[in-house]
């Protein structure tokens, strides 16, 4: 009977084909996607006043879209995003960038594969940062961060200058996420959807880690090979985008941008 069992590779390939066929992308422009990402972050409890930022590369070289300073994630609309240059001067729209967005620029310079960045002071990831603990991948839903979440052990201070950007971008290296001790976290994605997906799962992973440690003490990491397999599977674009689209439906339609 065991000779009749098909391999996991067979089912992986089949699922990938079927997801490409059935999980269709939703038509949205960049600013709509950014606004939905903000709403998702708010919906998942990741706001902390005006702390935290989201950004995405613009079509214009060395330019980026970000939420204008003074607004919370929960009230973002497509018209609330401004285009800024590599020194955070506003190019398109009205208002200013959050000054702490400056360290995003250093990540973009170092990582040509990164097209979107999320940084928040979410409750559970911030608790992990306060405890100066790196992430431990101990459960399947944590595996999108397997070998993909760096750790910066020393806080460089409020990241509004160039020095902090250098430290954070160097500590991130080639990974897609980082826990910033005494601070919060950052996720860096190839797309806005991926950066948001990683953000939500990083906050969940931090919550899971702290709860499990409180109940049982030291955690046992998932086997490296199995965690790597799950990481690659759960970061398939069809799964990332399908999940993002579901979260968009949860947030309901974006309110009118008119104010």
């Amino acid at each position: 009977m065991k000779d009749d069992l098909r391999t996991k590779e067979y089912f992986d390939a089949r699922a990938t084909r079927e997801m490409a066929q059935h999980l269709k992308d939703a038509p949205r422009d960049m600013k709509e996607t950014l606004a939905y990402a903000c709403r998702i972050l708010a919906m998942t409890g990741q706001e902390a006043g005006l702390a935290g930022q989201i950004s995405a590369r613009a079509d214009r070289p060395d330019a980026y879209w970000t939420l204008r300073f003074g607004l919370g994630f929960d009230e973002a609309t497509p018209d609330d995003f401004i285009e800024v240059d590599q020194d955070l001067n506003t190019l398109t729209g009205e208002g200013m960038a959050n000054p702490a967005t400056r360290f995003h620029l250093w990540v973009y310079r170092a990582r040509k594969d990164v097209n979107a960045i999320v940084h928040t002071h979410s409750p559970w990831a911030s608790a992990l940062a306060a405890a100066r603990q790196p992430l431990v991948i101990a459960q399947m839903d944590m595996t999108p961060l397997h070998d993909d979440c760096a750790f910066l052990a020393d806080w460089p201070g409020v990241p509004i200058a160039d020095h902090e950007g250098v430290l954070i971008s160097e500590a991130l290296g080639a990974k897609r996420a980082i826990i910033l001790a005494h601070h919060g976290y950052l996720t860096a994605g190839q797309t806005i959807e991926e950066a948001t997906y990683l953000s939500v799962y990083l906050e969940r992973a931090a919550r899971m880690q702290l709860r499990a440690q409180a109940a049982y003490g030291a955690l046992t990491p998932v086997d490296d090979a199995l965690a790597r397999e799950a990481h690659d599977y759960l970061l398939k674009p069809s799964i990332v985008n399908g999940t993002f689209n579901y979260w968009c439906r949860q947030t309901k339609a974006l309110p009118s941008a008119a104010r």
Side-chain angles (χ1 to χ4, degrees):
M1 181 66 180
K2 288 185 178 180
D3 292 340
D4 296 331
L5 296 180
R6 290 167 288 183
T7 66
K8 187 173 287 186
E9 288 76 15
Y10 163 81
F11 289 104
D12 186 356
R14 173 180 169 179
T16 299
R17 290 194 304 272
E18 292 179 347
M19 286 188 289
Q21 178 183 355
H22 297 291
L23 297 180
K24 302 298 185 182
D25 288 338
R28 287 185 300 265
D29 64 26
M30 177 182 288
K31 291 196 289 183
E32 287 177 313
T33 304
L34 283 166
Y36 269 120
C38 286
R39 297 282 171 154
I40 291 165
L41 293 169
M43 179 181 71
T44 54
Q46 301 210 43
E47 64 81 24
L50 300 183
Q53 317 90 35
I54 186 170
S55 65
R57 284 190 196 270
D59 291 334
R60 190 190 322 225
D62 298 321
Y64 312 91
W65 289 96
T66 189
L67 183 66
R68 62 185 177 89
F69 192 42
L71 296 178
F73 290 146
D74 62 312
E75 54 186 346
T77 72
D79 283 354
D80 291 319
F81 289 86
I82 59 173
E83 186 183 21
V84 299
D85 67 14
Q86 57 186 336
D87 200 27
L88 296 186
N89 298 302
T90 301
L91 303 174
T92 305
E94 297 182 0
M96 62 177 283
N98 184 327
T101 309
R102 186 167 302 280
F103 77 88
H104 295 214
L105 308 178
W106 288 90
V107 175
Y108 286 122
R109 290 178 192 177
R111 293 280 300 279
K112 300 306 181 185
D113 60 313
V114 169
N115 293 305
I117 292 171
V118 172
H119 166 64
T120 82
H121 300 179
S122 56
W124 292 97
S126 293
L128 204 61
R132 295 181 80 242
Q133 287 191 31
L135 194 65
V136 178
I137 306 303
Q139 192 268 346
M140 177 180 168
D141 294 339
M142 303 165 90
T143 57
L145 287 307
H146 171 69
D147 198 26
D148 227 349
C149 187
F151 180 68
L152 179 61
D154 297 307
W155 184 49
V158 179
I160 60 172
D162 292 333
H163 179 64
E164 295 85 354
V166 173
L167 290 177
I168 292 170
S169 61
E170 288 181 350
L172 177 66
K175 298 186 187 301
R176 291 185 244 205
I178 185 170
I179 297 288
L180 305 167
H182 309 303
H183 190 178
Y185 76 80
L186 173 146
T187 59
Q190 294 185 33
T191 63
I192 300 165
E193 291 88 345
E194 184 178 76
T196 307
Y197 178 89
L198 289 167
S199 294
V200 174
Y201 276 94
L202 179 51
E203 175 67 357
R204 290 180 180 177
R207 178 180 62 191
M208 198 180 311
Q209 177 168 326
L210 290 167
R211 284 177 167 176
Q213 284 177 335
Y216 302 107
L219 304 182
T220 301
V222 175
D223 173 81
D224 184 70
L226 295 176
R228 189 180 309 112
E229 174 187 83
H231 167 277
D232 295 348
Y233 185 83
L234 293 172
L235 282 174
K236 289 180 183 293
S238 53
I239 292 178
V240 170
N241 295 337
T243 304
F244 185 90
N245 291 336
Y246 163 57
W247 290 333
C248 288
R249 295 193 297 273
Q250 280 191 304
T251 70
K252 311 302 182 185
L254 287 171
S256 171
R259 297 186 186 281

